[in-house]
């Protein structure tokens, strides 16, 4: 399944029109339409907004979607990312889903190499994305 198909299916399942979804997300109808038609790709922030509206995780939203498979094999998560679980400041807040989601991130084609780089990305995303608080 393609991401656009998944987004359209979730919207219809939730009973939203594009106009109604615009009102609750703050995203334009044209952008939402482009997402559903596969004309553009969503940012992590947009995926989080939509997942929040549909009351599911981003991992659930992208599950089974081409190009968005979540790798739940802990052996393939870099040691530098796993080190976040042991961080004295934020380790107790890091969930397995956080690790799997972070593991999908690459910047200019490369993943962060150190625990500090992963921590900075995690903290940045926590500040930028709507949460459950």
């Amino acid at each position: 399944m393609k991401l656009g198909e998944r987004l359209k299916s979730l919207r219809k399942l939730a009973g939203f029109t594009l106009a109604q979804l615009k009102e609750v997300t703050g995203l334009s109808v044209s952008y939402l339409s482009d997402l559903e038609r596969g004309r553009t790709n969503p940012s992590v922030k947009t995926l989080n907004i939509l997942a929040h509206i549909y009351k599911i995780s981003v991992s659930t939203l992208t599950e089974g979607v081409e190009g968005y498979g979540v790798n739940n094999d802990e052996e393939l998560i870099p040691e530098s990312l796993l080190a976040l679980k042991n961080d004295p400041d934020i380790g107790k807040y890091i969930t397995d889903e956080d690790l799997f989601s972070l593991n999908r991130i690459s910047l200019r084609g490369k993943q962060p190499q150190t625990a500090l780089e992963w921590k900075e990305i995690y903290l940045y995303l926590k500040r930028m994305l709507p949460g459950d608080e």
Side-chain angles (χ1 to χ4, degrees):
M1 172 180 277
K2 295 186 186 277
L3 182 60
E5 295 168 346
R6 175 66 176 218
L7 294 174
K8 186 173 186 175
S9 173
L10 287 169
R11 176 178 57 80
K12 290 187 175 234
L13 187 63
F16 288 113
T17 65
L18 285 171
Q20 291 168 327
L21 190 57
K22 170 198 179 288
E23 293 303 317
V24 296
T25 63
L27 303 170
S28 73
V29 169
S30 62
Y31 179 63
L32 292 166
S33 177
D34 283 348
L35 288 173
E36 289 185 2
R37 292 177 183 196
R39 292 181 180 167
T40 190
N41 292 315
S43 65
V44 173
K45 183 176 181 180
T46 297
L47 286 175
N48 198 50
I49 289 169
L50 292 169
H52 182 76
I53 294 300
Y54 299 135
K55 297 178 175 45
I56 59 176
S57 68
V58 172
S59 295
T60 300
L61 187 147
T62 58
E63 187 176 319
V65 172
E66 293 174 24
Y68 286 88
V70 175
N71 180 359
N72 288 338
D73 186 354
E74 194 168 289
E75 291 177 15
L76 299 179
I77 295 177
E79 287 294 323
S80 58
L81 177 53
L82 287 173
L84 281 183
K85 285 283 225 181
N86 298 321
D87 185 279
D89 299 322
I90 63 171
K92 63 184 175 186
Y93 303 108
I94 304 288
T95 66
D96 287 342
E97 184 173 325
D98 290 335
L99 291 177
F100 303 139
S101 295
L102 285 167
N103 194 35
R104 295 172 46 206
I105 292 175
S106 67
L107 305 169
R108 296 185 180 116
K110 297 190 314 187
Q111 282 193 314
Q113 299 298 304
T114 68
L116 180 58
E117 290 173 331
W118 285 114
K119 182 177 180 177
E120 289 172 350
I121 289 170
Y122 173 80
L123 292 173
Y124 175 78
L125 291 172
K126 282 298 186 187
R127 282 192 306 269
M128 298 305 294
L129 301 174
D132 297 330
E133 291 92 49

